[in-house]
Amino acid sequence: MPTVHFLDVTNRDGVQTARTGLSKFGKTMVNFYLAKLGVAQSEIGFPFLFHEVPYVKAQVALAEAGAFGSLRLSGWCRGVPQDVEQAAPLGLKHYNLSISTSDYMIQNKFRGRLDRDAIIREMTAAVHVAKQAGALTVGVNAEDGSRTDDGFLLEFALAAKQAGADRVRYCDTIGGDTPDRIRERFAKLAAGTSMPVETHCHNDLGMAVANSVSGALGDLDAGQDAWVNTCVNGIGERSGNADLLSTILAFEHGFGLNAKIGDALDLSWARRFALWASYAFGQPLPYNQVGVGRNAFAHESGIHADGALKDHGNYELYDEASLGPFPEDWHARPGRVVLTGEYGGKAGFRHVMDGLGVEVADEDLAFRLVQLCNAMTGRPLTDDELGLIAAHPRELSLLFPEYQV
């Protein structure tokens, strides 16, 4: 039976969000939390960019050391051979290669530089380079796929498959698709290629989650696995991307959805991830954020309060306990507290680590990394961040080659 898998793009599309940002250590923590949640794959960033290279090397080392469990790490490149050639030495085994496919973008973005034939030539050449470099899976992204006509979309996907691609990503780049339309298009494309079609939905009409679910169902209708792109807390360019938790909960609890999730998910990490992301990105969670907002399980009106007191199932679709505890981090303690960070000393470092019950693999190295990571993030480090530093200081030191830590 075909199954649904999640490929989170927080570290690529999410960090492109205007008026926000995330440090390289923060991007590392996104991978940590995705692994804890049991998500299949993380699109970790742009391995062809010079400032991503130390970060990518650190992620590969952390993965090899077991820090990310079974999480697959993938790089995003433009669908041109040069990007892949630059990325290949870093050791990533999974890629998504992106190029625009709609006539609108051919005319108004490329402006005569590329036509349909050139798009397919560039994309297939990039796929060949990735496969020859040892990539285990390659997805090709049809940017503006929702405005690409069926005929060329199929031609593009079949050419990608023949070149060795494993999936095609259908990008609703401007967020204009609708659930019925996208399900039909996914079913048609997945059947025509005998290949999974990956959802990538933006929220410009508030339908990113609905479209992602519907697109995935189109894959399943065609007998193919579904791959769903998400971002933590629904962040992303403009109005955001499909929210990770909302999409998972829709497949788990949506009425009438006959879909099996193929990832071994553990939602007991959902709140810790969402609250950490809000803190790290500096974006407060809306009160009504699905599952993790302050009001997600709050009741006041008489009828609702009475019903919830008798049995929470009267007015709640799922049990809030399944999403895990809210974080109670050391740095947020009220009253007298000793912290460790950029300007801290060994006494404070040992006090915090001992208080957290964390075993430190290399004290001197971990101490220096705490200082560097705190300087990088510009905010107190969380318990989970300190725990990762303590467990994997050697791998994390690759984030800071200039300091030779």
Side-chain angles (χ1 to χ4, degrees):
M1 177 181 178
T3 56
V4 177
H5 303 276
F6 294 91
L7 195 167
D8 190 83
V9 297
T10 298
N11 275 335
R12 199 275 302 173
D13 213 341
V15 300
Q16 293 179 169
T17 304
R19 301 189 178 96
T20 189
L22 193 63
S23 70
K24 305 302 185 190
F25 180 58
K27 293 181 69 171
T28 303
M29 290 304 300
V30 169
N31 295 327
F32 167 84
Y33 282 114
L34 291 173
K36 292 295 186 184
L37 275 172
V39 168
Q41 188 163 320
S42 171
E43 190 165 270
I44 69 169
F46 308 88
F48 61 93
L49 291 180
F50 74 94
H51 60 81
E52 291 271 77
V53 169
Y55 156 75
V56 173
K57 289 180 177 178
Q59 305 316 293
V60 172
L62 284 162
E64 290 174 351
F68 300 146
S70 60
L71 179 71
R72 303 195 317 189
L73 307 180
S74 59
W76 185 98
C77 295
R78 293 169 298 183
V80 295
Q82 304 94 293
D83 280 12
V84 185
E85 289 165 357
Q86 282 186 261
L90 300 181
L92 290 172
K93 297 300 182 184
H94 307 278
Y95 288 94
N96 269 87
L97 312 178
S98 186
I99 196 164
S100 306
T101 55
S102 69
D103 287 342
Y104 190 96
M105 285 198 172
I106 289 172
Q107 178 180 342
N108 297 293
K109 179 180 174 181
F110 294 140
R111 297 191 173 184
R113 187 172 60 86
L114 294 176
D115 58 15
R116 285 183 168 187
D117 290 340
I119 285 167
I120 289 179
R121 282 198 307 272
E122 291 278 12
M123 177 271 297
T124 53
V127 172
H128 283 305
V129 172
K131 285 292 188 172
Q132 289 166 4
L136 299 178
T137 66
V138 176
V140 294
N141 303 356
E143 187 188 26
D144 210 19
S146 54
R147 287 194 295 185
T148 303
D149 68 80
D150 287 344
F152 184 58
L153 201 56
L154 180 61
E155 181 184 354
F156 175 84
L158 287 173
K161 182 179 181 179
Q162 186 174 7
D166 302 276
R167 295 192 303 276
V168 60
R169 177 181 289 178
Y170 174 109
C171 302
D172 184 21
T173 301
I174 60 170
D177 231 324
T178 53
D180 285 348
R181 179 180 185 271
I182 199 169
R183 180 170 183 169
E184 180 181 350
R185 298 198 86 202
F186 267 60
K188 186 175 182 179
L189 187 57
T193 60
S194 298
M195 186 166 60
V197 183
E198 194 174 307
T199 75
H200 184 87
C201 298
H202 284 265
N203 206 38
D204 298 78
L205 296 179
M207 292 195 288
V209 171
N211 284 335
S212 296
V213 172
S214 293
L217 293 177
D219 274 318
L220 302 182
D221 290 342
Q224 295 294 322
D225 284 351
W227 286 78
V228 181
N229 288 182
T230 58
C231 283
V232 63
N233 298 343
I235 65 168
E237 295 168 311
R238 303 183 312 279
S239 297
N241 292 61
D243 173 43
L244 171 61
L245 181 59
S246 301
T247 310
I248 291 172
L249 291 172
F251 281 110
E252 289 192 343
H253 300 285
F255 301 144
L257 287 185
N258 182 25
K260 178 179 173 58
I261 296 175
D263 303 346
L265 298 175
D266 179 4
L267 291 188
S268 67
W269 285 85
R271 281 174 167 160
R272 288 171 72 173
F273 187 18
L275 271 293
W276 173 86
S278 173
Y279 176 65
F281 276 101
Q283 292 191 354
L285 283 175
Y287 271 32
N288 63 340
Q289 182 76 19
V290 171
V292 294
R294 189 173 182 181
N295 276 2
F297 298 93
H299 308 277
E300 182 178 334
S301 69
I303 292 174
H304 281 240
D306 176 71
L309 287 168
K310 291 172 179 172
D311 184 327
H312 69 81
N314 282 320
Y315 287 100
E316 294 174 5
L317 180 59
Y318 43 88
D319 188 350
E320 59 103 11
S322 67
L323 305 179
F326 287 104
E328 295 181 355
D329 283 348
W330 184 282
H331 72 84
R333 294 182 175 191
R336 182 182 296 113
V337 61
V338 173
L339 305 179
T340 184
E342 182 179 4
Y343 299 108
K346 276 288 186 70
F349 170 80
R350 292 192 185 104
H351 170 77
V352 173
M353 292 300 192
D354 289 346
L356 293 175
V358 172
E359 184 177 341
V360 182
D362 180 329
E363 184 175 291
D364 290 338
L365 182 55
F367 171 61
R368 283 179 282 170
L369 283 169
V370 164
Q371 294 178 315
L372 288 167
C373 290
N374 182 214
M376 178 185 274
T377 64
R379 52 170 179 72
L381 298 177
T382 67
D383 294 2
D384 289 335
E385 290 171 336
L386 291 169
L388 185 63
I389 291 171
H392 295 284
R394 294 175 187 83
E395 293 80 12
L396 283 168
S397 70
L398 296 173
L399 290 172
F400 304 98
E402 68 273 31
Y403 291 101
Q404 298 181 347
V405 294

